[in-house]
Amino acid sequence: EAYKEVAEYMKSYNKIRIHGSLGYIPPSEFYQRTLEGTAKPLIVKL
């Protein structure tokens, strides 16, 4: 049951929840736009 809950959370986090650092779109949509060339890739500094 825990695996199911974690999987649902990950799905929600990556496909539904908007992220301010990505221009207020979900990560999966940002990734698709990056592949299409309609979104500028982000540079992440660690």
Side-chain angles (χ1 to χ4, degrees):
E1 192 171 318
Y3 285 107
K4 181 181 175 184
E5 291 297 321
V6 170
E8 284 296 317
Y9 176 78
M10 289 173 59
K11 178 182 174 184
S12 171
Y13 188 85
N14 289 318
K15 296 188 179 208
I16 299 169
R17 183 178 174 270
I18 61 172
H19 295 255
S21 63
L22 301 178
Y24 297 98
I25 58 175
S28 59
E29 186 176 337
F30 180 80
Y31 176 70
Q32 187 62 40
R33 288 184 186 186
T34 302
L35 291 178
E36 295 169 352
T38 59
K40 183 179 178 183
L42 299 175
I43 298 173
V44 178
K45 295 181 181 182
L46 299 177

